[in-house]
């Protein structure tokens, strides 16, 4: 029997690839509830790497993440859930500013915006405070004073 020595990074990649073997994001579109989608992602992608008020983030690879709407598909009035609305807005902004270094590359989004796949980015923090920067403060810093409203127009 031969010994093969690999780095920890290589080992994690092998484990990650084994975990996502069989994962297909389009299967999520066939599921009727958030709990079904969450169970599917947990089974194939493992525990989430982050979450917010209306989305859960799963790491797909070293370079990509899946952001999953953690609400039911619509509210009582037939409006998209907050997570789907965030995914849709994020998709629109990232696609319209695809040449910008400020936004991640979006690879795919579901037809009903319940999930989005994009670059895995690490949150930028304020070195003095250690806190995650507010989006508008970050934008002002990175864009040399261009206003947020003029950037989006």
């Amino acid at each position: 029997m031969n010994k093969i020595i690999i780095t920890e990074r290589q080992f994690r990649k092998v484990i990650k690839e084994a975990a996502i073997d069989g994962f297909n994001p389009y299967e999520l579109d066939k599921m009727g509830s958030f709990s079904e989608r969450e169970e599917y992602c947990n089974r194939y992608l493992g525990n989430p790497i982050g979450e917010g008020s209306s989305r859960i983030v799963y790491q797909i690879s070293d370079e990509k993440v899946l952001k999953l709407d953690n609400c039911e598909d619509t509210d009582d009035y037939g409006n998209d859930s907050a997570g789907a609305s965030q995914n849709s807005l994020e998709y629109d902004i990232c696609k319209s500013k695809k040449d910008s270094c400020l936004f991640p590359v979006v690879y795919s989004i579901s037809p009903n915006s319940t999930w989005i796949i994009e670059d895995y980015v690490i949150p930028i923090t304020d070195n003095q405070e250690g806190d995650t920067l507010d989006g508008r403060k970050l934008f002002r810093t990175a864009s040399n004073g261009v206003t947020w409203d003029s950037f989006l127009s």
Side-chain angles (χ1 to χ4, degrees), residues 11-79:
F11 176 74
R12 287 184 183 186
K13 184 174 182 180
V14 168
I15 295 300
K16 184 60 117 175
E17 288 171 355
I20 65 170
D21 187 35
F23 177 75
N24 180 350
Y26 297 102
E27 289 296 317
L28 297 169
D29 299 332
K30 300 174 186 175
M31 299 174 190
S33 70
F34 161 69
S35 58
E36 289 176 290
R37 291 187 289 273
E38 180 183 35
E39 183 180 316
Y40 182 82
C41 287
N42 286 339
R43 182 176 342 126
Y44 287 100
L45 301 176
N47 293 330
I49 62 168
E51 65 181 285
S53 62
S54 56
R55 297 187 294 180
I56 297 175
V57 182
Y58 291 92
Q59 189 170 355
I60 295 176
S61 70
D62 286 344
E63 297 88 23
K64 296 178 187 173
V65 295
L66 177 134
K67 293 183 179 180
L68 180 67
D69 173 13
N70 68 2
C71 306
E72 294 306 324
D73 292 334
T74 58
D75 64 17
D76 294 337
Y77 305 101
N79 299 315

